[in-house]
Amino acid sequence: MMRYSLRGPRRAPALLATAVALATVAACSNGSPSGPPSGPSATGASASAAPTGTAPPPSPTPTPPAAPTPTPSKAYPLSTAPGTVPAVRAHQAARGPGWKPAPTGGVVLAANSGALADEGRLLAGELGVPYRGAAAAGPGDVELALGGTGAPESYTLTVTGGRVRIAGPDEAGVFYGTRTLKQSVKATGAMPEGTVTDRPAKPQRGLMLDIARKHFTAAWIEDRIREMSDLKLNQLGLHFSDDQGFRIESSSHPEVVSAQHLTKAEVRRILALAASRHVTVIPEIDSPGHLGAVIAAHPGLQLVSASGRAPRGTVDISNPDAAKIVDELLREYAGLFPGAYWHLGGDEYVALMSKNPEASYPKLARAAVAKYGPSGRVQDLATGWLNDRAAVVRPTGKTLKAWNDGFFTGGVAVPAKDLEVEYWTGREIGARLPVSYLNEGRKVVNLNDDYLYYILGEPNKFPYPTGRRIYEQWTPRVLRGSTPVPARYDPQILGGRLAVWCDLSRAQTQAQVAAGIRLPLAALAQKVWDPRPPALTWAQFKGLASKVG
């Protein structure tokens, strides 16, 4: 305890005031009112009570100020990964409140990230917050940024300090980061604290629609694009020419177009939406089979067997007029569709589905010998047809695709090396195992008809696929049946697509198709994005898909 010794009359008032002030501070620290005491001032009373030259009585010893009590900070549990479909690949947990949309926050773009304006506006509208464009990130903001290194379509999403930052080396990756944020907020109202590091396992992920056998409206197709993009799927195949219909407006051959069809204006609207959601549209004019709509307008192109049989949808590939019309259509639509891919079809050419094509179709046999020599067969003529159609589209720079049963071995003609294999079936006569394509060094996309074919009316023992079966049993390496190919081939398998075929077009309405493919599409999205066995049970995944979808 300190004492104040007052030695002289001149210093007494000042020292006494100091002592009283300290006592007052001590009293305030102990809960006394902080205002002045009632009655005469303490200093004045003490001064008047002490005669000049006489030391005043000692003041009470002041109590030292108590240490301030800290305001307790909220203790946050360690965060967990956000619940999304597909699941994020990695999440670094942290302690903090996470992030929730608030009116004071908004979506902003980092420096040199102006290309993300579409993504920013879309996200702001979905979250119900302002879009402020290029601006410094403030409290409560979501910042989108281009830059850094990483795999294509990868992103990093960081939640800290009450802000969100989504960054990636390309626009697609940042967009997928916004899908993660949107889904988490939709499911729980918030995005957890921490850092997500994410990227797809496969570069080709999507849906294929048979719009030839059944007319789907542009609005319905646009809804599927929105659904796909939220699942981080990036390809939409449009099979728009078949026996039952030709469904896109044509200027080169309007006579082949069905009454119900998409106008080119509607197609451009679809393409614009797809591009804004980072979905590539893959057009397909299937040939030399599945051309019934073209043959209906040009019956002279029909293939006829030795017995007089005219197999539906099958053009005579020895007739140059057939090639001329198909090539004119290819050139027309290659200009309409700006995407990086083109599907040539090539499947189920009926002449090659007979036991002895040369005997059944002698005209084709003669044409094959004339073109390829004595060893030429009908399969060589079909391979030559596929290669010739590829040569028409190749100058556009598009990657070319064809169905697996359009590739033949052991012939004089060899399919072009740059054709990607769209593997769908092993049911055809002389079916080749998937590894035979992979051993050739081919790149393959998985459309396994045992898991991924949604065929309206379930004909030919094709039950509707279930999301559960895809989720629990299928992987991109399961190309045929249920047996995966060896892991060494995994880099050649580029991904997978769910395929909707409309063989019995009236079996389901558009709304029923949309409902029927919802969970299969979600399960596919999980399996092509994340190569690990799913962490959730099917029941848990199904519940999550309902929350975020």
Side-chain angles (χ1 to χ4, degrees), residues 28-92:
C28 292
S29 298
N30 285 302
S32 300
S34 58
S38 58
S41 96
T43 304
S46 299
S48 62
T52 303
T54 304
S59 61
T61 302
T63 304
T69 303
T71 302
S73 61
K74 186 174 181 180
Y76 293 99
L78 202 61
S79 64
T80 57
T84 60
V85 177
V88 299
R89 299 280 295 273
H91 177 255
Q92 183 178 348

Side-chain angles (χ1 to χ4, degrees), residues 330-501:
L330 290 173
R331 291 187 181 97
E332 176 182 0
Y333 292 107
L336 177 63
F337 290 92
Y341 300 91
W342 186 277
H343 202 311
L344 297 164
D347 65 313
E348 295 184 318
Y349 188 54
V350 174
L352 291 169
M353 297 169 72
S354 62
K355 292 182 179 180
N356 189 334
E358 286 70 33
S360 297
Y361 299 94
K363 183 182 179 183
L364 296 183
R366 290 192 297 271
V369 170
K371 186 172 183 178
Y372 296 103
S375 299
R377 294 180 291 166
V378 174
Q379 75 166 54
D380 296 308
L381 206 63
T383 298
W385 171 281
L386 187 66
N387 288 342
D388 289 345
R389 307 295 75 77
V392 170
V393 182
R394 191 175 287 112
T396 66
K398 298 180 190 297
T399 297
L400 303 170
K401 297 171 172 289
W403 297 112
N404 66 286
D405 52 331
F407 292 77
F408 303 98
T409 59
V412 177
V414 178
K417 296 295 184 183
D418 61 345
L419 298 180
E420 290 183 357
V421 178
E422 301 263 303
Y423 196 98
W424 71 280
T425 189
R427 301 188 185 202
E428 78 277 11
I429 295 174
R432 296 169 59 190
L433 293 171
V435 293
S436 68
Y437 301 89
L438 297 165
N439 283 336
E440 293 175 359
R442 299 266 181 196
K443 295 179 180 179
V444 177
V445 178
N446 191 326
L447 289 95
N448 184 335
D449 62 359
D450 199 36
Y451 288 90
L452 304 178
Y453 262 35
Y454 190 99
I455 306 179
L456 269 59
E458 301 181 297
N460 302 320
K461 299 181 180 180
F462 275 105
Y464 290 126
T466 67
R468 179 170 190 165
R469 193 159 176 260
I470 296 169
Y471 186 78
E472 294 180 344
Q473 300 178 18
W474 180 85
T475 72
R477 284 171 44 209
V478 180
L479 287 160
R480 174 175 172 175
S482 57
T483 303
V485 298
R488 66 179 179 275
Y489 295 115
D490 189 70
Q492 291 172 243
I493 302 171
L494 302 179
R497 291 199 299 281
L498 182 75
V500 176
W501 294 103

Side-chain angles (χ1 to χ4, degrees), residues 47-376:
S48 62
T52 303
T54 304
S59 61
T61 302
T63 304
T69 303
T71 302
S73 61
K74 186 174 181 180
Y76 293 99
L78 202 61
S79 64
T80 57
T84 60
V85 177
V88 299
R89 299 280 295 273
H91 177 255
Q92 183 178 348
R95 297 185 188 276
W99 180 88
K100 293 180 179 180
T104 54
V107 176
V108 301
L109 305 183
N112 303 314
S113 300
L116 297 172
D118 287 345
E119 289 79 4
R121 291 189 183 94
L122 175 64
L123 180 65
E126 291 168 333
L127 297 176
V129 300
Y131 171 70
R132 295 203 299 271
D141 281 347
V142 177
E143 181 185 43
L144 307 184
L146 277 176
T149 59
E153 301 182 294
S154 66
Y155 69 92
T156 301
L157 189 159
T158 304
V159 180
T160 186
R163 302 179 189 177
V164 179
R165 178 179 168 86
I166 304 173
D170 56 33
E171 293 173 46
V174 175
F175 175 72
Y176 296 140
T178 69
R179 301 306 86 192
T180 293
L181 179 61
K182 174 189 174 182
Q183 286 194 19
S184 182
V185 170
K186 187 171 184 180
T188 66
M191 181 73 197
E193 199 87 2
T195 301
V196 168
T197 306
D198 207 8
R199 62 183 176 85
K202 296 296 180 182
Q204 297 192 35
R205 313 173 303 277
L207 172 67
M208 194 228 75
L209 294 173
D210 170 13
I211 65 171
R213 294 180 175 95
K214 182 179 181 69
H215 174 64
F216 290 94
T217 65
W220 188 90
I221 295 171
E222 289 168 344
D223 284 344
R224 301 290 73 69
I225 290 171
R226 295 183 183 96
E227 178 182 4
M228 291 169 55
S229 64
D230 279 355
L231 293 170
K232 303 183 176 76
L233 299 173
N234 64 358
Q235 289 183 343
L236 173 65
L238 291 182
H239 175 95
F240 65 90
S241 171
D242 213 300
D243 299 341
Q244 294 85 346
F246 193 104
R247 302 289 180 178
I248 295 179
E249 174 188 354
S250 172
S251 56
S252 66
H253 287 282
E255 74 280 0
V256 307
V257 179
S258 303
Q260 280 190 312
H261 63 271
L262 297 173
T263 66
K264 287 187 176 180
E266 288 176 317
V267 171
R268 291 188 182 100
R269 193 178 78 199
I270 290 168
L271 292 170
L273 175 65
S276 73
R277 303 299 180 97
H278 300 279
V279 173
T280 298
V281 178
I282 305 174
E284 179 193 355
I285 297 178
D286 201 351
S287 75
H290 299 283
L291 284 172
V294 172
I295 294 170
H298 299 274
L301 305 181
Q302 174 68 56
L303 177 67
V304 180
S305 72
S307 64
R309 177 172 171 260
R312 186 181 187 186
T314 308
V315 297
D316 179 355
I317 57 177
S318 68
N319 183 346
D321 289 340
K324 180 176 181 294
I325 289 178
V326 171
D327 288 351
E328 287 168 351
L329 291 168
L330 290 173
R331 291 187 181 97
E332 176 182 0
Y333 292 107
L336 177 63
F337 290 92
Y341 300 91
W342 186 277
H343 202 311
L344 297 164
D347 65 313
E348 295 184 318
Y349 188 54
V350 174
L352 291 169
M353 297 169 72
S354 62
K355 292 182 179 180
N356 189 334
E358 286 70 33
S360 297
Y361 299 94
K363 183 182 179 183
L364 296 183
R366 290 192 297 271
V369 170
K371 186 172 183 178
Y372 296 103
S375 299

